[in-house]
Amino acid sequence: MGLRLQMLMVLVMMVSLQGWLPLGCMEEERIALLHLKDALNYPNGTSLPSWIKGDAHCCSWELIQCNSSSSSSRGRVTMLDLGSVRNQELGDWYLNASLFLPFQQLNTLSLSDNRIAGFVEQKGSYEQQRLSNLEHLDLGLNHFDNNILSFVEGFSSLKSLYLGYNKLKGLINLKESLSSLEDLDLSGNNINKLGASRGPSNLSALKLENITTYESSFQLLQSL
């Protein structure tokens, strides 16, 4: 009985420890995070110092949130808040979108204010494995042009999209593929027309602060 009691006590302690021990994310995602850190710091940045190669508890790293439930998704990265991470002095750059493929449960992604001029995609792989759970995407305060619109169209689960203060101009055509979109921010861009005749049917909030138009604001809104 004494040995059984000791074994039971050890088991109880192991179960209880899971509640406060640092949560380790999936190995595939930990490696992807380190690749992402390298990309954000290229060629000589020093951002994200807590993202350490030898640390298995990547869910405790800064600017990351993981699924902490007891389901099969436990340890999966659900949020990456990487706004203003890249050193502005490194200049404009293009981010490899395929770096995000391992994050299958990613729900919220912020890449704002990082001087990103566009995304580079690996042909074939990325189109087939879009982030199906991504609902909130913040790409504001970067240097994206209108090509970013065709990129975000593949995220059919998006509910909020922030593209404020980029380099969008002219006609902005909202496609029906963004069927789940509820909140859209296009502030601070050079837009003169919005096309949405077959656009997102669930859109309930549209932000257009500090828009530079070639025509009147009324004509811009009338184009909807």
Side-chain angles (χ1 to χ4, degrees), residues 38-55:
D38 290 341
L40 286 163
N41 282 317
Y42 181 83
N44 55 2
T46 58
S47 301
L48 305 172
S50 72
W51 295 22
I52 302 173
K53 186 176 182 179
D55 183 5

Side-chain angles (χ1 to χ4, degrees), residues 21-33:
L21 282 176
L23 181 65
C25 60
M26 307 290 289
E27 177 67 10
E28 180 187 20
E29 294 187 356
R30 187 181 68 84
I31 295 173
L33 288 170

Side-chain angles (χ1 to χ4, degrees), residues 5-205:
L5 181 59
Q6 290 179 7
M7 292 176 63
L8 179 60
M9 291 178 63
V10 170
L11 179 61
V12 171
M13 288 178 64
M14 290 177 63
V15 172
S16 63
L17 281 172
Q18 292 181 0
W20 65 269
L21 282 176
L23 181 65
C25 60
M26 307 290 289
E27 177 67 10
E28 180 187 20
E29 294 187 356
R30 187 181 68 84
I31 295 173
L33 288 170
L34 293 172
H35 287 322
L36 184 58
K37 174 184 177 179
D38 290 341
L40 286 163
N41 282 317
Y42 181 83
N44 55 2
T46 58
S47 301
L48 305 172
S50 72
W51 295 22
I52 302 173
K53 186 176 182 179
D55 183 5
H57 302 297
C58 38
C59 288
S60 64
W61 293 353
E62 61 181 319
L63 309 179
I64 293 174
Q65 182 173 306
C66 294
N67 188 331
S68 59
S69 69
S70 58
S71 67
S72 58
S73 298
R74 178 179 171 83
R76 286 280 187 183
V77 174
T78 58
M79 183 189 75
L80 288 172
D81 185 7
L82 301 176
S84 305
V85 166
R86 183 173 169 82
N87 186 342
Q88 297 287 325
E89 295 180 358
L90 297 176
D92 289 357
W93 66 304
Y94 289 80
L95 178 59
N96 185 351
S98 300
L99 291 172
F100 297 98
L101 286 179
F103 306 113
Q104 298 178 12
Q105 297 298 320
L106 190 63
N107 174 270
T108 302
L109 173 62
S110 174
L111 293 168
S112 64
D113 195 24
N114 283 309
R115 294 194 65 169
I116 307 174
F119 285 106
V120 178
E121 300 183 30
Q122 291 182 353
K123 292 185 178 180
S125 63
Y126 195 76
E127 288 297 330
Q128 297 171 5
Q129 303 179 59
R130 289 282 188 174
L131 301 176
S132 58
N133 290 295
L134 189 63
E135 295 185 352
H136 309 285
L137 179 60
D138 185 351
L139 299 176
L141 296 166
N142 281 296
H143 292 175
F144 291 111
D145 58 21
N146 288 32
N147 290 324
I148 192 60
L149 298 173
S150 60
F151 176 81
V152 300
E153 285 169 12
F155 302 120
S156 58
S157 59
L158 271 187
K159 293 183 178 180
S160 64
L161 175 60
Y162 182 60
L163 291 172
Y165 299 92
N166 276 283
K167 294 185 176 181
L168 279 65
K169 63 181 180 179
L171 170 64
I172 301 300
N173 194 6
L174 307 178
K175 298 296 182 65
E176 59 183 332
S177 56
L178 294 171
S179 57
S180 300
L181 195 63
E182 300 173 359
D183 190 351
L184 175 63
D185 193 332
L186 295 171
S187 300
N189 287 291
N190 193 2
I191 300 172
N192 64 0
K193 188 174 182 180
L194 290 169
S197 59
R198 299 177 61 189
S201 56
N202 291 316
L203 191 66
S204 59

